[in-house]
Amino acid sequence: MISLQGITKHFGAHTVFKDIDLSLSQGEIIVIIGPSGTGKSTLLRCINFLEKPDAGRLQVGDLKVDTQRASRADILALRRRTAFVFQNYGLFANKTALDNISEGMIVVDKLPKAKAHARAREILERIGLADKADAYPASLSGGQQQRVGIGRAMAANADVILFDEPTSSLDPQWVEEVLGLMKQLAVERQTMIVVTHEMQFAREVADQVVFMDEGGIVEQAPPEELFTAPKDERTRHFLRKILAPTGQAVP
Amino acid sequence: MLNLEYMWGLLPVLLSYLPLTLQMATIAMVFALILACLLAVVRVSRVPVLNGLSLLFISFFRGTPLLVQLFLFYYGLPQVISSLIAITGVTAAVLGLTLHFSAYMAESIRAAIVGIDRSQTEAALSIGMTQSQLMRRIILPQATRVATPTLMNYFIDMIKATSLAFTLGVTELMGATQKEAAGSFLYLEAFLLVALIYWVIVEMLSWGQRRLEIYLNKAYQR
Ligand SMILES: Nc1ncnc2c1ncn2[C@@H]1O[C@H](COP(=O)(O)OP(=O)(O)OP(=O)(O)O)[C@@H](O)[C@H]1O
Ligand SMILES: [Mg+2]
């Protein structure tokens, strides 16, 4: 169970969002959509404290954190329960695919090296990169790098994986393999929050779609509802703009 | 013209002082590297107070001549810190070289650290690594690779700079040459020979440096 209560974030005088409430149960998949600059990335980053929220409470599993009183230990604990997949992969350039995946298990979870490597090999198998164990990120395609990025998040064994536009930096030919892997995780009921512009993916995979616009969450609904009968005019406007060029049905 | 026979005979004499020169340079290099890493990390993470002190330190040691710094340590400091009265020329020289070069090297290492893509830092933090794990396992190994060619240059400079130790009465390569020349009056031969010795050593290191660079450029490509 993951819940956000009253999460607020300012950058200087600019309030990105205020009083965000969001909760999901284990195995639930939430997709967040919305125009650029509305704070989707910032919200995900607040969940694992890459940004410090300015107000609110977070709960992940049995860990409850008042963001204004979070100690260093709270922050580390929170980060261990949440894994992040970045738009630009963020792979460790000095480590092979295998080591990128096993690094957290060795350093953070303190698993013995042999065990961590064995688990990392299993994960490489699942992400379809068993033959790339010894490859450095620089020699992998964008799609392969992002799959390693997802593998690293899987290795964290977190309660939730946060995806921030995982396919936005990819050349079009690699998008499908990454979305495919995410769908596979969805089938396994991996809890996740995904920020994406891939509406088809949202339709297929999301349990709930959240539409964010200036200052917060405008509406939240299951995909069939949000995509066909959005309640708010801003949602309709956004969906028309983003769906029309792709030939998908417009509300 | 040149007294080649004298030079030939002087060669083994001077070479016997080479180990001291190389030792001073190596020890100073090791300490300078450690200090430079600390200074760079303090600067990058903007540790309060320490950051200001680091800036001051770097500014002073880059802003004043090495010779002045050596004289300060050897002749100046014992005046105020009486326990330093027994400081040897070698110790003062190693200390001076360490501090002087660490200031330069700190800036190179800092630049290398800053050059590492920020997303790796965030990725490391996002999986729950601490700042120090991030530094030790992700940032510094990469920064070292980037900074190594520059640091090798500083090592070469350092070897040449050890010659200043003779002004503190240390009989290293340069000090020995000075003494031999004063005894024989064959200044040209003696100083030409010592110049050749430095040159050959530096050339050998430069060769190693080029090899290293080729190796480093291939890094992380597999
Ligand atoms: N570190 C920062 N300092 C100051 N302002 C920031 C910072 N990070 C984000 N912002 C601002 O906060 C707002 C939200 O940014 P954010 O990146 O979260 O939006 P987004 O919804 O993810 O947009 P996109 O779809 O373009 O990724 C923007 O106005 C942005 O300029
Ligand atoms: Mg974003």
Side-chain angles (χ1 to χ4, degrees):
Chain A
M1 149 89 175
I2 290 113
S3 90
L4 287 64
Q5 290 163 27
I7 297 294
T8 299
K9 180 69 192 174
H10 320 282
F11 285 116
H14 172 58
T15 301
V16 184
F17 43 70
K18 208 169 141 61
D19 271 335
I20 297 249
D21 294 331
L22 185 69
S23 71
L24 56 166
S25 46
Q26 198 185 337
E28 198 173 355
I29 295 155
I30 287 193
V31 170
I32 301 179
I33 59 174
S36 184
T38 50
K40 304 180 298 294
S41 301
T42 306
L43 181 63
L44 287 190
R45 293 163 60 80
C46 281
I47 299 176
N48 83 347
F49 254 85
L50 283 175
E51 299 291 351
K52 184 180 180 299
D54 292 303
R57 310 174 138 275
L58 290 167
Q59 178 177 357
V60 182
D62 55 356
L63 178 76
K64 293 178 188 166
V65 178
D66 175 345
T67 57
Q68 299 314 291
R69 299 220 174 82
S71 64
R72 249 172 68 94
D74 287 336
I75 293 172
L76 289 178
L78 192 63
R79 286 180 176 157
R80 288 180 68 164
R81 286 171 165 78
T82 55
F84 210 107
V85 174
F86 297 86
Q87 184 173 343
N88 303 317
Y89 334 130
L91 296 186
F92 308 133
N94 60 330
K95 302 205 175 279
T96 61
L98 182 84
D99 290 335
N100 263 279
I101 294 173
S102 61
E103 179 71 7
M105 295 191 276
I106 294 170
V107 178
V108 181
D109 302 331
K110 311 276 190 238
L111 285 191
K113 205 167 169 181
K115 202 165 172 192
H117 280 181
R119 275 215 57 205
R121 282 189 197 283
E122 280 167 32
I123 289 173
L124 280 168
E125 197 82 50
R126 285 171 66 196
I127 63 177
L129 291 174
D131 55 329
K132 297 288 184 190
D134 297 325
Y136 284 94
S139 69
L140 297 174
S141 74
Q144 290 170 334
Q145 290 190 55
Q146 189 58 296
R147 282 190 282 156
V148 174
I150 295 173
R152 179 174 62 191
M154 289 159 67
N157 214 352
D159 292 19
V160 58
I161 303 184
L162 311 167
F163 292 82
D164 190 10
E165 301 202 28
T167 57
S168 294
S169 330
L170 293 175
D171 287 340
Q173 78 254 40
W174 311 124
V175 171
E176 274 315 312
E177 66 181 54
V178 170
L179 291 179
L181 173 57
M182 292 168 65
K183 286 177 193 167
Q184 182 187 319
L185 290 177
V187 170
E188 296 163 10
R189 300 318 293 175
Q190 164 68 55
T191 316
M192 41 195 195
I193 304 179
V194 183
V195 171
T196 185
H197 292 296
E198 297 286 339
M199 296 301 146
Q200 192 53 41
F201 174 84
R203 283 193 159 150
E204 277 176 50
V205 169
D207 297 309
Q208 293 277 316
V209 179
V210 168
F211 174 68
M212 271 181 83
D213 202 349
E214 287 304 308
I217 293 178
V218 175
E219 69 178 292
Q220 171 178 354
E224 58 277 13
E225 202 179 310
L226 192 117
F227 282 108
T228 52
K231 295 201 174 63
D232 197 284
E233 176 51 35
R234 281 177 290 174
T235 318
R236 257 193 300 273
H237 178 74
F238 172 76
L239 287 176
R240 256 183 242 126
K241 225 171 63 184
I242 197 158
L243 291 179
T246 66
Q248 294 179 65
V250 169
Chain B
M1 260 294 285
L2 275 181
N3 187 337
L4 289 176
E5 203 177 325
Y6 170 75
M7 286 173 77
W8 186 246
L10 187 58
L11 184 61
V13 178
L14 292 190
L15 285 182
S16 70
Y17 291 93
L18 186 58
L20 179 59
T21 289
L22 294 180
Q23 264 167 32
M24 287 198 299
T26 310
I27 295 171
M29 186 70 186
V30 170
F31 285 124
L33 266 178
I34 296 170
L35 186 56
C37 280
L38 292 176
L39 288 167
V41 169
V42 164
R43 293 269 287 109
V44 172
S45 4
R46 296 174 198 246
V47 183
V49 187
L50 285 182
N51 188 32
L53 290 176
S54 305
L55 268 173
L56 186 66
F57 176 93
I58 291 169
S59 168
F60 177 79
F61 282 99
R62 296 208 318 173
T64 53
L66 175 57
L67 188 59
V68 173
Q69 294 163 16
L70 292 179
F71 276 34
L72 256 176
F73 288 122
Y74 189 61
Y75 300 111
L77 277 191
Q79 203 173 308
V80 282
I81 309 170
S82 50
S83 59
L84 282 181
I85 214 94
I87 193 170
T88 65
V90 173
T91 311
V94 168
L95 183 65
L97 290 168
T98 298
L99 300 183
H100 183 81
F101 279 91
S102 71
Y104 281 93
M105 289 173 2
E107 288 300 275
S108 314
I109 296 174
R110 190 183 72 88
I113 292 177
V114 171
I116 293 166
D117 165 22
R118 167 107 195 122
S119 70
Q120 293 188 47
T121 296
E122 300 206 321
L125 295 179
S126 81
I127 55 173
M129 281 166 92
T130 61
Q131 279 289 339
S132 80
Q133 288 169 337
L134 162 70
M135 272 297 162
R136 273 184 293 120
R137 304 194 50 112
I138 310 296
I139 305 292
L140 286 180
Q142 292 181 60
T144 313
R145 286 199 180 224
V146 176
T148 296
T150 325
L151 297 178
M152 282 288 286
N153 276 337
Y154 285 126
F155 185 53
I156 287 172
D157 279 351
M158 181 104 90
I159 288 182
K160 291 184 285 182
T162 54
S163 61
L164 290 177
F166 104 92
T167 60
L168 308 184
V170 179
T171 313
E172 39 62 70
L173 194 51
M174 180 62 192
T177 311
Q178 164 77 15
K179 281 184 185 157
E180 293 293 333
S184 66
F185 298 108
L186 292 173
Y187 291 104
L188 178 61
E189 283 81 353
F191 289 126
L192 186 59
L193 182 62
V194 80
L196 287 172
I197 293 175
Y198 280 116
W199 191 11
V200 167
I201 291 166
V202 168
E203 272 309 309
M204 277 165 30
L205 282 169
S206 303
W207 180 83
Q209 183 185 21
R210 281 191 297 274
R211 301 292 308 229
L212 191 62
E213 255 173 79
I214 292 170
Y215 170 75
L216 291 178
N217 285 338
K218 274 200 299 223
Y220 313 145
Q221 289 299 324
R222 179 163 36 109

